[in-house]
Amino acid sequence: MIAYCTNVHPADDLPGILDQLDRHAVGVRERLGADTLPLGLWLPASVARGLAEDRTARHGLLAELTARGLTVSTLNAFPYGDFHGEVVKHAVYQPTWADPRRLAYTADCATVLADLLPDSASYGSISTLPLAWREPWGEPDDDLAEAALTVLTGRLRASGDRPIKLAVEPEPGCVLDTVADAVGWLAGRVDPEHVGICLDTCHLAVSFADPVETVAAIRAAGLSVVKVQASAALEVAEPGGEEGRRAVAAYAEPRYLHQVRENTPDGVLAADDLPEAFTSLPARHPWRVHFHVPLHVQPAPLRSTTDVLLAAMAAVEPGTHVEVETYTWNVLADAGDLTDGIAAELRWAREHLWTGVPA
């Protein structure tokens, strides 16, 4: 299964979500010449709550999706709401896993997903944030998060004949900054049958970790890759040069956080956002920037890290959920038609990744 993530579409209620699917998802399916199109569905918390409380509404949503030739085996429950405000930045990490609202939202998503799963799905997946942004966070928050995940796991066990699995998504700057951080925190704390890793390959690339070794380390810890978010970061070979600096500066936009890492012989240096990187990093070694670049685009004179994506995909288990998550279309200069762009990106995925995209 290779889906595309609908968090690229701004909508804060169910009619708005369906309108966006009519305007874009149906067109993507038609451009691919497919009978059905998998989605990685994003539901704001208010919508998830309404659906979780109303089984008739859930069945109605399933009917609406089916009528459009759309299927859902995975939800993206990282953004809680307002993912398309003028400035999102750190707000995307709220509420944290120490806040009861995060547990309630994720449990609502599990209830909804259990009724949306197509007959062909062997499991459902829900991706979530890596606990919180790194500050403020302490041992009491760890304890609250562990307790919340324990409660959620009990609910996932009772979700039906087919398992619903939570996929924790490491991200630079967060409590679980890298996959190694996530593995170290989760192993021994969670039930690996129901909680594992969401491997976002943009985040993985930004960390400069080896993708094959990373997947092997997840397995060695007794965890699994529940979901891959197929994404690519920006790479700047010479961030100190005039051309590279000018090119990457064009991606410094105000809505989303664009963490930067510089790979030096003495270790990886960090900046929490692109404007900060220009003044805080030495810019003598390559940078990778947390900016989800469309998979089929090479942003010359920069490059994208699709090589990391391909290496990771070769290492994960066949049948793992894959979600193409390029939520940055709306802040890309000269992005062109959104429906055409998503279709082109999924076509690239069909040609380069697994054969799960409808032909």
Side-chain angles (χ1 to χ4, degrees), residues 347-359:
R347 198 171 291 114
W348 184 97
R350 179 179 61 189
E351 293 170 356
H352 293 85
L353 308 180
W354 294 334
T355 57
V357 176

Side-chain angles (χ1 to χ4, degrees), residues 177-190:
D177 182 297
T178 65
V179 173
D181 293 333
V183 167
W185 196 92
L186 292 170
R189 271 192 170 99
V190 301

Side-chain angles (χ1 to χ4, degrees), residues 254-340:
R255 180 175 297 169
Y256 300 116
L257 202 61
H258 300 297
Q259 301 94 313
V260 183
R261 299 293 183 265
E262 180 169 344
N263 193 24
T264 79
D266 297 321
V268 177
L269 304 179
D272 285 341
D273 205 357
L274 189 49
E276 174 191 328
F278 293 128
T279 58
S280 67
L281 295 180
R284 292 192 291 269
H285 304 279
W287 284 4
R288 286 180 178 171
V289 183
H290 176 215
F291 195 113
H292 287 220
V293 184
L295 300 180
H296 63 293
V297 172
Q298 281 298 332
L302 310 178
R303 64 175 295 274
S304 76
T305 60
T306 50
D307 56 330
V308 174
L309 164 61
L310 294 174
M313 285 295 298
V316 299
E317 293 290 332
T320 303
H321 289 179
V322 179
E323 175 185 84
V324 175
E325 196 213 19
T326 304
Y327 59 83
T328 49
W329 285 101
N330 295 324
V331 295
L332 278 169
D334 303 321
D337 179 79
L338 178 59
T339 305
D340 287 342

Side-chain angles (χ1 to χ4, degrees), residues 148-167:
L149 289 175
T150 299
V151 171
L152 179 69
T153 300
R155 298 185 185 184
L156 295 179
R157 289 193 185 108
S159 61
D161 295 336
R162 288 172 294 177
I164 304 292
K165 302 183 181 184
L166 186 70

